[in-house]
Amino acid sequence: MKNVGEAPQEELATGERSTRNRVARSILDHGPSTVAELAGRLGLTQAAVRRHLDALVADDVVEAREQRVYGTRTRGRPAKVFALTDCGRDAFDQSYDKLAADALRWIAEQEGGEKAIAAFARARIAGQAGAYRKAVESAPPDQRTEALAKALSADGYAAVARSAPRPQQGEQLCQHHCPVAHVAEQFPQLCEAETEFFAELLGTHVQRLATIAHGDGVCTTFIPKTSHAADPSRAATNTDNASASTAGRNPA
């Protein structure tokens, strides 16, 4: 039988992560906690708890703060407690996706609901359009897809631009992450509005080839090669074409 000190480094790292998760989970379940309280609940030494808390603080998962005292304050410094940060809470399962889907489903069930969902999807994109438009319009015409990819990546979409495989003439905009994929799976209007916006922004028709929301590993949009820069006067026509391209999972 191996001693703990002889365990492979990967095993030790896994055990450390597991215990660290238990510490964070205990704070989530019980609220801001002292080192002594955590040690008692988890069956660890206070020294071990402090070591894990130091790592969690460094990762911005928990933060130290003074314990709130209700009633008459006793002498001495208030005890230090550790609480989850916003980042730490986001690491645990949240119900935001379900809440959003429930809200959109309720809207869809009302009279004119489908049109309202589409209008919401377009308004949502419009609210985010400023940074994307600035990035694209400040780039040379032949670098606008790449500029859009960088702007999307700044918002967490992990996007890249690359040449489309031959014989296609153009580029592919690939988004390796979608923050709203679970909701878009039920409401494709979100994907359609995004595709329409890409067409309007780039001044050409675009074609959505795959989406994470439909089970693909990446959202892929084909942008044909054009000899002209984005022209706002063509936006309406291009937007209609883009909308038609989103009807199915692989419209090509």
Side-chain angles (χ1 to χ4, degrees), residues 3-252:
N3 294 323
V4 174
E6 297 173 342
Q9 190 64 35
E10 291 182 3
E11 278 186 33
L12 290 175
T14 300
E16 291 282 296
R17 285 195 297 271
S18 176
T19 304
R20 202 160 294 165
N21 289 340
R22 288 176 58 212
V23 172
R25 183 77 205 193
S26 183
I27 295 173
L28 178 72
D29 291 339
H30 299 275
S33 306
T34 66
V35 170
E37 289 169 341
L38 288 166
R41 287 198 297 262
L42 299 172
L44 301 171
T45 65
Q46 292 192 26
V49 169
R50 287 193 182 93
R51 178 164 55 82
H52 290 299
L53 286 170
D54 287 343
L56 291 168
V57 168
D59 290 340
D60 193 30
V61 175
V62 304
E63 62 183 0
R65 60 176 69 160
E66 288 188 352
Q67 186 174 35
R68 288 186 177 181
V69 177
Y70 299 95
T72 304
R73 182 185 291 273
T74 58
R75 291 184 179 181
R77 295 183 60 185
K80 181 187 291 186
V81 295
F82 292 86
L84 289 178
T85 62
D86 289 341
C87 178
R89 288 186 179 279
D90 287 343
F92 290 94
D93 291 336
Q94 300 284 353
S95 297
Y96 300 140
D97 283 351
K98 185 177 185 303
L99 176 64
D102 287 347
L104 291 177
R105 191 176 299 108
W106 184 88
I107 293 173
E109 292 171 353
Q110 309 307 305
E111 185 176 354
E114 291 299 324
K115 291 183 179 180
I117 296 295
F120 165 78
R122 292 189 180 100
R124 174 180 172 273
I125 290 295
Q128 302 171 339
Y132 301 145
R133 194 177 303 281
K134 181 178 180 181
V136 170
E137 292 180 352
S138 63
D142 61 345
Q143 297 177 23
R144 289 185 170 177
T145 303
E146 183 178 355
L148 177 56
K150 289 180 179 179
L152 287 166
S153 292
D155 277 348
Y157 288 87
V160 295
R162 66 188 185 192
S163 297
R166 294 184 178 182
Q168 292 177 312
Q169 296 294 313
E171 298 174 285
Q172 285 186 349
L173 177 66
C174 300
Q175 296 159 258
H176 295 279
H177 178 65
C178 176
V180 298
H182 294 304
V183 181
E185 182 178 353
Q186 302 174 57
F187 298 96
Q189 294 95 329
L190 297 173
C191 297
E192 293 167 7
E194 182 182 75
T195 309
E196 291 173 9
F197 174 64
F198 289 167
E200 185 270 329
L201 190 60
L202 297 171
T204 184
H205 75 277
V206 304
Q207 191 173 36
R208 183 59 62 88
L209 303 178
T211 63
I212 294 172
H214 284 90
D216 300 295
V218 59
C219 295
T220 305
T221 305
F222 174 65
I223 300 158
K225 184 177 181 180
T226 58
S227 59
H228 58 271
D231 182 355
S233 66
R234 304 176 73 251
T237 300
N238 293 329
T239 297
D240 290 341
N241 290 338
S243 182
S245 298
T246 61
R249 175 174 167 181
N250 287 301

